[in-house]
Amino acid sequence: MADVRARLVTRVRGMLSEALGATRTRLATAEADLAAGRDRLARTRKAAAAVPARVGAARDRRLAEIDARHTARLAELARRAAAAAQREAPGAASAPWDRWRATPAGRSEPPGALRVGTVRLDGAEPVPALVPLLDAGHAHLAGRDRDGLAAVVPALLLRSVGRADPGAVRLYGYDPEHLGGGLAGFAPLGTAGLLTFVGPGGLGRLLDDLVEQIRRINATVLAGEYGSLRELAAATGRRPEPWRVAVLLGGDELSRHERGQLDRVVRTGAACGVHLVVRGIELPDDPTVTRITVEPDDARVAGLPVVLDAPPPPALVTETCRTVASRVAAGPPPTPFTDLLPPPDEYWREDSAHGLSAPIGEGPHGRQVLLTLGDYPPHALIGGPSGTGKTNLIFAWIGALAARYSPAELEFYLLDFKEGVSFARFAQGRRDPSWLPHMRLVGINVNTDREFGLALLRFLAEELRRRADAAKKHEVTKLAELRAVDPDGHWPRIVAVVDEFQALLAGRDVVAREAADLLEDLARRGRSQGIHLVLASQDVRGIEALWGRPALVAQFTLRIALPKALRILAERNDAAQSLPRHHAVVNAESGLAEGNEVARIPSASDWETWSELQHRLWRMRPQDAAPARLFDGDAIPKLADAPDFRALTAPEQGVPRSPVALLGEIIDVQSRSAALRLPRAPGRNLAVLGTRVDEACAVLDAAARSLARQYRPGTARFSIACLDPDADPAARALYEDLEGDASWYDEETVPELMAEAGDGLGAPGAARTPHFLLLYAVDAAAAALAGKAGTRTGLEQLRRILHDGPERRTHVLAWWRGVARMRVDLGGAGARTDQIGAWVALDVQGGELGSSLYPGSGGPDWYPRPWRGLYFDRAVHRTGQVIIPYGPSR
């Protein structure tokens, strides 16, 4: 029993020991967990205590970043706003007054808004505060700060005037309280008609006028094609109407009619360039109205607080207005030449079968004024005093036509009787190889060569005859019909321009009479065959040859009058007297007042403006196009350049049957040479008459060189006798160039030449080597030839050679220094002169030539002038032919 109890006690004790150990282990573990928990709690409490400081630092850092980004963004927005303001209001629209100057916008560039002050932004540069006015809207001013309001009005007006071309802004002032004193600085504009003051009681009339202007612009200028003048200017590059700004500074209560008219201007004025700057009168709410409120301590533009600029300095206002007024008084500047031209891809697209039409300038309402040449009107008359732009108008017209019509459709012939070379640019030059492809003839410096104008009219008359014959052949009457039935023919329209044409018709000589007859025929019949005349003059008073022919004048139904032009328009049409510069009256009704159109003419006469068009057209020219013929009355032609000389050649066998001696250049359209044929026929000799050594030598030199070109070496003889020391250099140069075919004679040996040539003529009809005697100043050898030369005197031998030589291929080309001296050498006053078949008169009056050398009585109408000669060939000519001797060959 005891053992059992002992075992039980032992077991209980063991179990209790185990339980105690386990309890102690769990207790130690719990105490360790407690210590760890307390440690975590301490750390947590410590960490929790540090959180507010970290959060505050992060918050402050984030707020600083946000503030920096905001400041940078604000600065960037301010910079962009300033840049946008600069783009919207460049130059005079926003420049500070200390650096302000007028900077007109381009013709198609909108004027933009106008600065009145600045908007202050914290931490950023001030931004200009802008008011949209021109082409945008109206400005309404209100508030108690009268000084501030008084500063805004002149600022808006001066910036408006400075941002537009001179004269493009017109001001209307209504200031019944101060009687215009608020706009006194702008008074200089009144002298140019740019400022109109309306007195008390005149507001109704002013508003009526503005409404009428709006109605007119909508009806005749915009005409349903454009919504506003700004849109029209952007599309066309032209602004036909000025801006009209009415400044209304208070007044009595508006009547019902005035209120209605004011409301109409507010609603419709901005699109038509009519604007209001109003103070003391209420304006209706409208998107076009900008409200400006100025209180003593607060100024706002459209509700935005602004700091207003100081008013412009009075001296700046006055000086700017004076400058603008002076420029307007001088007349508006010309418009760009490019306004007359079609787009480059439309060049040469027009057809001239039924006529020619091209713009010449801009009309009062911005629409182009067209000039037309066709069946009606067929011809044009241009008039204007010197300096009014006649040449510029011709250039503009030519350019506008040349850009629209190809050379196959249009050809030009130009002639300028005044001194100058302005037309020379249309022909090929030494410095510029280009030429206008339509140009066929350019005549310059022809003021002393009226014969060239006559030659042009003869050429046109021949072309008219050719076209009329072709029309008759095809049984048609007009150019359009001829071109339809003969599409392969060359039938362009021809425009012949003669500047200072009165020089051609001056006087009562044969040139004036024939020119007037040809002009009348061309004017009357040319219209149907596409030949059009354009005559220009500084003044047509006193041109009896023209105004004495009413049938001729009646054909020129298109009249173009430049400022102060006289007798171009009808007698009672004085529209040209009040024209500003760069303008012209275009009238297609023979000058009657009801046909007037006023055109603003572009600037086209300076070379830089013209050259771009000419070079473009030149590059478009046909492959077979040839340069225009350039006739310069001051230039001396060269024999080597003459087409007729270059065409001369020697036959491969024998000698030419009828050699040709070229004497000079004929004053005509085709640049031909005066040619003397020397067949085996009586009288085929040449006499050069006059005392001008250089010109006489030039005629003989050209004759000899052209003859030598037709003979192979050794097949012709040239005997050169020089009896004037002044002619020796020219004669020696010819002798040296002819080499072995020439022989030289002087005063001592010339009798031998006469004897040899006279005695060697042989039997009649015998074939001989061609022999040409070139006698320089042969009359100087009278004493030497008076002696015996074989069985005859030298003079007798000379007469025999002149009489019998041509039939035996011996020809005399001699220079006598006077007609009387030649008569003496030929046998005296009663001697026959028919052995001189041709002559060239230099400084010899027409009366000296007499009936023995020239058909009829009294001699030819010939008045000598430098480096010109009158050529007459009995076998060919009915009248003398004016020639220009070729210049020295060396």
Side-chain angles (χ1 to χ4, degrees), residues 631-672:
F631 175 83
D632 184 352
D634 288 347
I636 299 176
K638 299 290 186 181
L639 178 65
D641 298 333
D644 289 337
F645 179 75
R646 293 198 299 266
L648 296 175
T649 58
E652 296 182 0
Q653 295 181 348
V655 296
R657 298 181 57 186
S658 182
V660 175
L662 305 182
L663 309 178
E665 182 176 279
I666 301 173
I667 297 182
D668 73 349
V669 173
Q670 290 104 340
S671 186
R672 296 175 300 167

Side-chain angles (χ1 to χ4, degrees), residues 711-726:
Y711 292 92
R712 290 173 287 108
T715 60
R717 293 178 56 202
F718 293 87
S719 296
I720 301 174
C722 183
L723 307 170
D724 186 340
D726 292 337

